Amino acid sequence: MPVAVGPYGQSQPSCFDRVKMGFMMGFAVGMAAGALFGTFSCLRIGMRGRELMGGVGKTMMQSGGTFGTFMAIGMGIRC
Amino acid sequence: MEEYAREPCPWRIVDDCGGAFTMGAIGGGIFQAVKGFRNSPVGVNHRLRGSLVSIRTRAPQLGGSFAIWGGLFSMIDCSMVKMRGKEDPWNSITSGALTGAILAARNGPIAMVGSAAMGGILLALIEGAGIMLTRFASAQFANGPQFMEDPSQSQLQPAYPFGDYRQYQ
């Protein structure tokens, strides 16, 4: 395989960089998914107004953290 | 990009299955360690033992269910690649939805629809994030990726030429 320089010019991103990038990406995806699903589930259990905002935010942070961790691991085992 | 420099098709199933198992086992290990530590009675010995027990019981389960998801997902993905003759984000989204539906098949049609929607939305989000990331990376290297000029690397199929995605949005 002729990858002497690395396809992206000066530097192949290092392992830690890729793990970090995976975490950021997973966090973003998890935030978005948490916003969607958290809204539904919080509405279903009858939250409204300010309480709803808090519930959705909590779900977003939770699922973002979970997703980010898993995505980071997924990047980590492949580098 | 990690997502698109993947294995060629039949072997991708094995690759995804194993990768998903490892991911689930490690991630489940981390989360279950914390959970077992917190759920145990007071005392460092009890807590350590509790977290060990909960890792041993739950982490392989989570790994197994991840592996089932990953394996079925890439099986459907590969079938769709063969049937449609091209690889694009719609393949992943559809196969995510189908995987969710199939795995919830024993819980009845309503659960199937819900699970399919969840899988499809999740995969759409992941694909969207990948596209955004690719676009960001291609904007960062303004003079274009250098491997396009090197003919000896053209058989590598480098990560889908950037801009190929734009027609799908």
Side-chain angles (χ1 to χ4, degrees):
Chain A
M1 287 297 167
V3 268
V5 194
Y8 291 111
Q10 76 276 24
S11 65
Q12 191 83 357
S14 75
C15 210
F16 181 69
D17 276 344
R18 282 164 62 171
V19 169
K20 214 164 54 181
M21 190 194 72
F23 184 81
M24 294 308 281
M25 196 169 129
F27 198 79
V29 171
M31 291 276 268
L36 271 173
F37 299 127
T39 309
F40 282 123
S41 71
C42 286
L43 279 177
R44 183 183 286 172
I45 62 173
M47 286 182 174
R48 294 293 184 274
R50 183 173 283 276
E51 201 187 15
L52 178 67
M53 287 299 124
V56 172
K58 190 181 158 197
T59 318
M60 277 170 74
M61 289 319 271
Q62 269 180 356
S63 73
T66 316
F67 255 76
T69 312
F70 275 111
M71 218 61 161
I73 294 167
M75 283 284 175
I77 61 174
R78 277 166 209 267
C79 73
Chain B
M1 269 301 299
E2 196 61 35
E3 306 290 326
Y4 295 105
R6 293 195 298 186
E7 302 273 316
C9 221
W11 309 115
R12 187 189 293 172
I13 300 172
V14 186
D15 187 59
D16 272 3
C17 208
F21 179 81
T22 317
M23 197 161 83
I26 296 176
I30 293 172
F31 280 107
Q32 292 299 324
V34 176
K35 200 175 152 200
F37 196 84
R38 287 178 54 191
N39 280 347
S40 297
V42 184
V44 179
N45 247 344
H46 282 132
R47 287 190 181 277
L48 284 183
R49 186 173 304 161
S51 79
L52 206 63
V53 165
S54 96
I55 289 172
R56 274 203 310 243
T57 49
R58 301 288 302 187
Q61 279 182 8
L62 196 69
S65 50
F66 262 62
I68 292 172
W69 227 95
L72 193 55
F73 171 77
S74 50
M75 268 184 228
I76 299 176
D77 199 18
C78 278
S79 320
M80 295 193 71
V81 168
K82 278 280 179 290
M83 279 195 310
R84 300 179 62 216
K86 55 186 178 183
E87 282 190 65
D88 58 3
W90 290 114
N91 268 352
S92 310
I93 295 169
T94 319
S95 49
L98 277 178
T99 307
I102 290 172
L103 288 184
R106 280 162 61 92
N107 296 333
I110 298 174
M112 277 173 81
V113 172
S115 176
M118 210 160 97
I121 291 173
L122 224 56
L123 261 297
L125 285 174
I126 293 176
E127 290 291 327
I131 293 170
M132 294 299 278
L133 205 70
T134 313
R135 197 179 287 181
F136 177 69
S138 70
Q140 224 175 14
F141 303 105
N143 53 351
Q146 288 154 1
F147 47 68
M148 299 303 264
E149 301 157 7
D150 191 355
S152 70
Q153 289 192 353
S154 59
Q155 80 268 25
L156 277 180
Q157 278 197 343
Y160 273 179
F162 307 125
D164 189 22
Y165 283 134
R166 316 222 166 163
Q167 62 191 13
Y168 300 117
Q169 300 186 29

